[in-house]
Amino acid sequence: MNKFVNSFTFNENVFYYYDLKNIFDSHFELKKLPVSLKLLLEANIRNENEEEVKYIIDAFIKRNNFRKIGFYPTRVVMDDYHGVPILVDLSSLNEDLENYKKEDFISPKIQVDLIVKDSVDDKQEKSIQRNKQRHHFIKWCQNRFDNFTVIPPGFGVYHQVNLEYLSTIVNIKMQDENVFIYPETLAGTDSKSTMMNALGVLSLKFNTLETQAILLKPYSKIHIPKVLGIEVVGSLAQGVSILDTTLNLTNLIQNEDLTASIIEFYGPGLKNISVEDRAYLSEVVIRSGAICGYFCIDDNSIDFIEKTRGVDATLIKTYYQKQGIYNDSIQNWELDYDKKFIFELSKVKPLVVGPKNYEERYIVENVPSKLQSFKIGNFVKDNDIVLANIISCTFTSNPTLLIQAALLAKKACMLDLRINKNINSTLTLGSIIIKNYLEELDLLKYFKQLGFKILDVNYLNSSTKLEEIRQSVVLDIQKFNLNVSSVNSGKDLELVSRDLVKSNWSMSPALVVSYALKGNMNFSITKEPISTDIFLSDLWPSISEVNEELGKISSKMYADVYKNIFIGDDYWQNIKCEDTDIYPWNEESSYIQKSTYYNKVENKNSIANARIVALLFDDVSSELISPEGNIPPYSPAAFYLLDKGLRPDEFNTFSKRRSNTELLQRGAFSDIEVKNKIVLPKEGGYTKDFDSYEVLPIYEYCQRMKKENIDLVIFAGENYGVGKGTDWAAKATNLLGINCIIAKSFDENHRSDLVKMGILPLCFIDDDIDSLKLKGNETITIDCENLTSNSKIDIKIKRFDEVESIEVQVKLLNDLELEYFRNKGVINYLLSEVVTGE
């Protein structure tokens, strides 16, 4: 047994664990590690061979960001948007197992939770068809895969289900006939999954390629992250919500390079921040560029676990206390953070965002000074509010925020205030649990009394329609060209109707109610009265009032909501799936089709006489390589859908159809903004076949070359693949049959994705497209037999009877990436391990 293993007895049961204190006794300097790094240290000691322990300890002592360690998730959580394409790939792999001489069905090697969004009641025919195809496939996966759990639609916001129900905080398993306990760690497919750091669960986001790899081998190499400590002090003043902390927190860290950094919150002020509010702060730092915002487990965490799960969490508290990573046993000022900040909650002031975009943020006192137009109509005038939306999704599903708004509404009703009928005001409830606790606390009725219409979750994705505003107001706005306003909570500003309402403000739910009561943005809400002799301070609930209501939310309510969480409603139960070994793909489906990424291909020692598909300029973004927006008419993707019998108004977007690789490859390089030097001045996704001198879509040309088994390459300038870093760009490139990208430089995320898809990235050293005078009719040969990582190699460019050699840099950064390339991608590499039993 490992020398660091220890045990303790709890309720007459013996639990073994990898004792951090034993590690610190041998290596005292590690005691000063931030808590998030201590969790990573424990996981690496627990999972690595004893021969590797010396390297691990040395890596954590030196904390060199170039050193890599393991991240060992105990669970993966996905929403259906990201998860369905991953499951399509895994199902397709199982269908092709004969290529690997493997008979056993491959299921995830780690617990996977898929949360299906609330969309089954959407009455639009397009959504019904999309949901029908996706849900049938998900239901089949639920029945077929081991270690795979589905939460059917109807249980609310994705991150909230994870926070309130799914997380176990610790894991327990049998090892050598002993019961071991260790922390839960989470891998997620989007930033919302990292909100679990609010509960003390170290959670990191991975793209779909990385997640697929984790399903086959629950492990990922990461650089040792920097950890910035933020000491939270004080409490929020009256009139302030957690949403108002955005400006202060982002200003605090805006000048820091947060790449590969964890923000770790600590300090006495944390006792004043609920777990739900912590989830919001963790999302703020993600948007600022950090990989996560971590909160240590403390009494707030334990209380939240016991309330939402209805369990005694004493074992969890005992384990973290024995490890010295429970908040009351940590002397944070002694921890060795890369940098420290102080975040004073008392200095936070009420904040609004807008009126044009999310980057515009103002303290409420300054709003009147930002207004520029003051025209007057017959019924409304400039800066009058005509729309007020509270949407309980994502951040505003936080009970603190909604109870705060509800108590304000209650006080307003008691003072006989009402919202002007010219204002269309709505409260959209994003989940069952939100509606339940507002009704249990008898608070929902006050929104209704003020004039808010109560809507269900299906309204979330719809834009505000003109007919929802009184016709007299609409005519007034149009006649006098008025600049009226909306106040919104939880709604993206770009979703609000721009043709009628030009100024759209985002703020906390309580401020939405407050501004709606006034009916106009041209006043100082903290200083001037909302109504005669009634000020904001008369309406705003105190923290103690909010906490008193929060305390009334019972664990029974959570139990009632989640008791049938894995069963689903009648709609879900009535989805019938055949019990088949492989999924019965429907060739007529336009949303779900078998993947073709990972068909086993024999390793090739060279890329020989490859044709050039494109000569591209600098800054080709991942969105240009694989578009996510609307599917344009007269494109290869459009013709594919027309052949399926769809009308142009049914095409939807590429991102909504990303589970169909037939469509994905037809969309690759098809954007009208693509500029291929081979065919300029013609723009768009075209290239030239120099055998026939025909100009044709890139997809059609690649298909033609595939039939002839001809290798393909692309040349590009600087920053190839730059952008938000969707891995679909690398997948689409793979589907076209492109073997190599040669560029001046790469976006690092895209370069890594290309390698994971088995595509060779090479960088020019002294040359570029222009200096080589490339036309596109050349052929390219690359000897890959003796390829090594980080090496320089010669490639041969043949023009007619002349051959020119140039030196390029191999952008395979280590031996593991070299193996990914040799195996035509990370999945093929991991499957070879599965087959050989390694």
Side-chain angles (χ1 to χ4, degrees):
M1 187 174 289
N2 189 293
K3 64 180 179 180
F4 298 124
V5 171
N6 203 344
S7 65
F8 65 92
T9 301
F10 182 85
N11 286 348
E12 301 182 356
N13 295 308
V14 178
F15 294 91
Y16 288 82
Y17 66 108
Y18 286 77
D19 191 349
L20 286 170
K21 292 180 179 178
N22 282 352
I23 300 173
F24 302 153
D25 288 343
S26 303
H27 306 279
F28 181 75
E29 55 268 68
L30 292 175
K31 188 174 183 180
K32 294 187 176 183
L33 286 175
V35 174
S36 50
L37 290 187
K38 286 176 178 173
L39 291 171
L40 288 170
L41 173 65
E42 185 276 342
N44 277 264
I45 295 293
R46 171 165 43 87
N47 285 284
E48 291 284 4
N49 297 325
E50 290 200 29
E51 306 86 68
E52 299 293 326
V53 167
K54 184 177 179 180
Y55 168 86
I56 293 166
I57 289 175
D58 182 65
F60 277 92
I61 289 173
K62 293 178 179 176
R63 288 170 67 177
N64 186 321
N65 292 102
F66 293 103
R67 299 278 287 271
K68 283 199 169 185
I69 55 171
F71 179 69
Y72 295 89
T74 60
R75 186 166 63 92
V76 171
V77 64
M78 309 184 292
D79 65 358
D80 50 333
Y81 177 77
H82 297 89
V84 169
I86 293 173
L87 294 170
V88 167
D89 288 352
L90 190 56
S91 301
S92 301
L93 281 172
N94 276 296
E95 189 169 339
D96 293 332
L97 279 178
E98 64 270 17
N99 294 326
Y100 296 88
K101 299 180 181 178
K102 178 75 175 174
E103 295 180 358
D104 296 337
F105 191 86
I106 296 178
S107 287
K109 308 301 181 189
I110 183 175
Q111 175 60 40
V112 179
D113 296 314
L114 179 78
I115 302 172
V116 184
K117 292 180 180 178
D118 296 306
S119 54
V120 297
D121 293 326
D122 194 327
K123 298 300 187 295
Q124 293 184 7
E125 182 64 26
K126 290 184 293 185
S127 296
I128 291 173
Q129 289 303 314
R130 180 171 72 249
N131 291 335
K132 182 179 179 181
Q133 295 173 31
R134 289 187 306 112
H135 292 167
H136 179 272
F137 174 72
I138 292 170
K139 191 75 175 284
W140 180 86
C141 292
Q142 181 184 26
N143 297 333
R144 188 66 182 90
F145 287 114
D146 298 329
N147 302 319
F148 179 66
T149 302
V150 174
I151 292 80
F155 288 93
V157 182
Y158 159 65
H159 80 269
Q160 193 169 343
V161 176
N162 198 21
L163 198 68
E164 294 175 348
Y165 183 81
L166 292 176
S167 179
T168 58
I169 320 302
V170 294
N171 272 56
I172 294 175
K173 74 172 184 178
M174 292 294 297
Q175 180 178 317
D176 300 328
E177 299 184 356
N178 295 314
V179 179
F180 274 77
I181 185 171
Y182 52 94
E184 179 184 38
T185 47
L186 183 68
T189 50
D190 72 343
S191 61
K192 299 298 185 294
S193 60
T194 67
M195 295 169 80
M196 288 304 298
N197 285 283
L199 198 52
V201 176
L202 188 60
S203 311
L204 301 183
K205 171 186 175 294
F206 295 88
N207 66 27
T208 54
L209 269 174
E210 294 164 330
T211 304
Q212 286 168 356
I214 288 172
L215 297 191
L216 294 177
K217 188 174 184 179
Y219 165 81
S220 181
K221 280 283 189 180
I222 63 171
H223 292 281
I224 296 181
K226 294 186 297 182
V227 183
L228 282 62
I230 294 184
E231 182 180 5
V232 182
V233 297
S235 61
L236 296 175
Q238 190 176 39
V240 180
S241 77
I242 197 66
L243 291 180
D244 300 318
T245 62
T246 305
L247 185 62
N248 296 61
L249 183 54
T250 53
N251 285 345
L252 189 66
I253 56 179
Q254 67 179 350
N255 295 322
E256 300 297 320
D257 181 7
L258 300 180
T259 305
S261 297
I262 292 173
I263 300 290
E264 188 164 299
F265 293 92
Y266 67 95
L270 286 185
K271 67 179 181 292
N272 301 316
I273 302 180
S274 68
V275 168
E276 296 94 341
D277 285 350
R278 295 175 188 186
Y280 173 71
L281 293 180
S282 73
E283 177 69 7
V284 170
V285 301
I286 285 287
R287 285 190 271 123
S288 297
I291 57 176
C292 72
Y294 182 76
F295 293 81
C296 304
I297 289 204
D298 61 4
D299 288 345
N300 279 7
S301 314
I302 296 300
D303 291 345
F304 181 83
I305 295 163
E306 293 184 337
K307 179 175 70 175
T308 55
R309 277 81 170 163
V311 299
D312 181 350
T314 308
L315 174 61
I316 297 172
K317 183 174 182 177
T318 300
Y319 169 77
Y320 279 88
Q321 284 178 327
K322 286 188 173 294
Q323 289 283 45
I325 52 177
Y326 194 80
N327 200 44
D328 67 356
S329 60
I330 303 168
Q331 304 297 327
N332 292 87
W333 58 86
E334 294 181 356
L335 299 185
D336 187 13
Y337 292 105
D338 289 277
K339 197 167 184 178
K340 294 183 180 181
F341 303 87
I342 295 177
F343 185 36
E344 298 186 32
L345 296 178
S346 60
K347 292 186 176 181
V348 175
K349 294 184 177 182
L351 181 73
V352 298
V353 177
K356 300 299 181 184
N357 58 64
Y358 194 82
E359 283 65 44
E360 299 176 84
R361 303 176 187 182
Y362 305 112
I363 296 170
V364 290
E365 298 168 0
N366 298 334
V367 169
S369 67
K370 304 302 175 183
L371 306 178
Q372 299 176 343
S373 181
F374 305 95
K375 300 186 296 295
I376 299 175
N378 293 325
F379 301 99
V380 290
K381 58 184 179 296
D382 279 344
N383 309 308
D384 272 356
I385 296 166
V386 297
L387 298 170
N389 303 302
I390 297 175
I391 301 182
S392 60
C393 64
T394 311
F395 306 133
T396 47
S397 61
N398 185 336
T400 304
L401 295 172
L402 285 174
I403 289 172
Q404 189 180 60
L407 290 175
L408 190 147
K410 179 180 179 180
K411 291 187 178 185
C413 289
M414 293 172 65
L415 292 170
D416 203 29
L417 298 181
R418 294 295 184 272
I419 292 174
N420 188 302
K421 293 187 183 299
N422 285 337
I423 301 175
N424 182 64
S425 51
T426 60
L427 168 63
T428 305
L429 299 174
S431 73
I432 298 171
I433 196 134
I434 294 168
K435 184 177 182 180
N436 282 8
Y437 72 63
L438 286 175
E439 289 182 334
E440 182 174 295
L441 299 174
D442 199 29
L443 293 175
L444 187 61
K445 66 183 183 183
Y446 296 110
F447 287 107
K448 296 178 182 178
Q449 288 181 30
L450 284 187
F452 280 86
K453 289 178 289 197
I454 311 302
L455 305 174
D456 65 19
V457 68
N458 299 304
Y459 197 82
L460 283 176
N461 295 322
S462 62
S463 300
T464 302
K465 301 179 179 63
L466 296 185
E467 58 265 27
E468 294 169 339
I469 302 174
R470 296 182 73 180
Q471 189 60 30
S472 59
V473 173
V474 171
L475 294 174
D476 217 25
I477 295 169
Q478 294 172 338
K479 179 179 179 180
F480 295 97
N481 191 27
L482 299 179
N483 183 1
V484 295
S485 298
S486 72
V487 288
N488 309 279
S489 174
K491 188 164 192 157
D492 291 336
L493 295 183
E494 59 266 23
L495 290 181
V496 183
S497 178
R498 293 288 192 186
D499 49 0
L500 190 70
V501 184
K502 297 176 182 177
S503 293
N504 299 287
W505 304 86
S506 180
M507 58 194 68
S508 69
L511 280 179
V512 169
V513 177
S514 304
Y515 271 106
L517 288 168
K518 181 67 176 181
N520 189 279
M521 297 299 297
N522 189 21
F523 88 115
S524 179
I525 195 169
T526 58
K527 298 176 182 178
E528 300 178 41
I530 289 176
S531 186
T532 305
D533 296 328
I534 299 175
F535 292 80
L536 182 65
S537 57
D538 299 319
L539 301 176
W540 201 274
S542 66
I543 292 176
S544 61
E545 288 177 295
V546 174
N547 287 338
E548 182 181 349
E549 296 297 322
L550 281 170
K552 296 176 184 177
I553 299 177
S554 65
S555 58
K556 181 180 182 303
M557 184 188 68
Y558 288 96
D560 289 343
V561 167
Y562 290 125
K563 62 183 178 183
N564 294 320
I565 188 169
F566 301 116
I567 299 175
D569 57 13
D570 290 342
Y571 161 82
W572 188 260
Q573 293 179 44
N574 288 330
I575 298 175
K576 304 301 181 185
C577 294
E578 297 179 17
D579 185 13
T580 56
D581 289 335
I582 60 174
Y583 184 68
W585 308 102
N586 179 2
E587 292 185 3
E588 298 305 312
S589 172
S590 59
Y591 284 99
I592 303 287
Q593 287 295 337
K594 181 178 180 291
S595 296
T596 56
Y597 303 114
Y598 306 120
N599 291 332
K600 186 65 175 176
V601 178
E602 293 299 322
N603 293 338
K604 298 176 67 174
N605 293 328
S606 66
I607 297 170
N609 297 315
R611 304 289 178 88
I612 300 173
V613 175
L615 303 173
L616 303 173
F617 290 84
D618 295 342
D619 302 315
V620 174
S621 70
S622 59
E623 291 88 347
L624 281 182
I625 300 169
S626 183
E628 296 190 339
N630 290 326
I631 297 170
Y634 308 112
S635 65
F639 291 132
Y640 169 81
L641 293 176
L642 289 170
D643 286 343
K644 295 286 184 185
L646 275 70
R647 302 186 308 271
D649 64 332
E650 298 173 313
F651 284 176
N652 214 316
T653 62
F654 282 106
S655 62
K656 290 291 178 62
R657 295 184 181 275
R658 58 173 51 186
S659 298
N660 185 339
T661 56
E662 291 294 328
L663 193 83
L664 187 64
Q665 63 181 310
R666 286 167 170 80
F669 296 99
S670 66
D671 194 281
I672 58 173
E673 297 296 324
V674 172
K675 295 179 176 63
N676 184 359
K677 294 183 180 184
I678 294 175
V679 294
L680 284 179
K682 186 178 181 63
E683 296 183 356
Y686 295 93
T687 191
K688 180 185 286 188
D689 185 339
F690 284 93
D691 290 336
S692 64
Y693 284 89
E694 179 185 1
V695 174
L696 69 169
I698 284 175
Y699 165 75
E700 292 183 17
Y701 177 74
C702 291
Q703 290 298 108
R704 188 176 292 182
M705 296 300 102
K706 272 187 185 180
K707 290 179 181 178
E708 298 180 32
N709 199 27
I710 293 174
D711 294 329
L712 299 172
V713 300
I714 283 177
F715 285 89
E718 295 182 347
N719 300 321
Y720 182 78
V722 72
K724 66 179 182 180
T726 170
D727 54 352
W728 299 103
K731 289 184 171 183
T733 305
N734 169 285
L735 288 168
L736 289 180
I738 293 166
N739 307 87
C740 175
I741 309 288
I742 306 165
K744 285 291 289 183
S745 64
F746 289 88
D747 173 84
E748 174 53 27
N749 288 331
H750 185 61
R751 184 209 63 82
S752 178
D753 290 340
L754 289 173
V755 175
K756 290 185 177 75
M757 291 307 301
I759 299 166
L760 178 64
L762 300 175
C763 269
F764 288 116
I765 297 175
D766 298 319
D767 305 282
D768 58 31
I769 293 171
D770 292 334
S771 68
L772 293 169
K773 299 180 180 178
L774 295 174
K775 302 298 182 184
N777 58 348
E778 301 87 353
T779 59
I780 310 299
T781 297
I782 306 168
D783 186 356
C784 302
E785 185 171 4
N786 298 312
L787 204 63
T788 59
S789 59
N790 283 308
S791 61
K792 295 178 181 179
I793 62 171
D794 289 334
I795 67 172
K796 295 179 180 180
I797 303 172
K798 184 178 180 181
R799 298 180 181 88
F800 304 109
D801 295 328
E802 296 180 359
V803 177
E804 179 181 4
S805 291
I806 66 167
E807 189 177 49
V808 294
Q809 178 75 50
V810 176
K811 299 302 289 185
L812 302 172
L813 302 187
N814 51 56
D815 290 342
L816 183 59
E817 288 194 344
L818 183 64
E819 287 301 312
Y820 290 167
F821 171 69
R822 292 198 183 285
N823 283 274
K824 299 302 178 185
V826 60
I827 301 302
N828 285 328
Y829 169 75
L830 291 175
L831 282 175
S832 67
E833 288 190 333
V834 171
V835 173
T836 58
E838 295 179 10

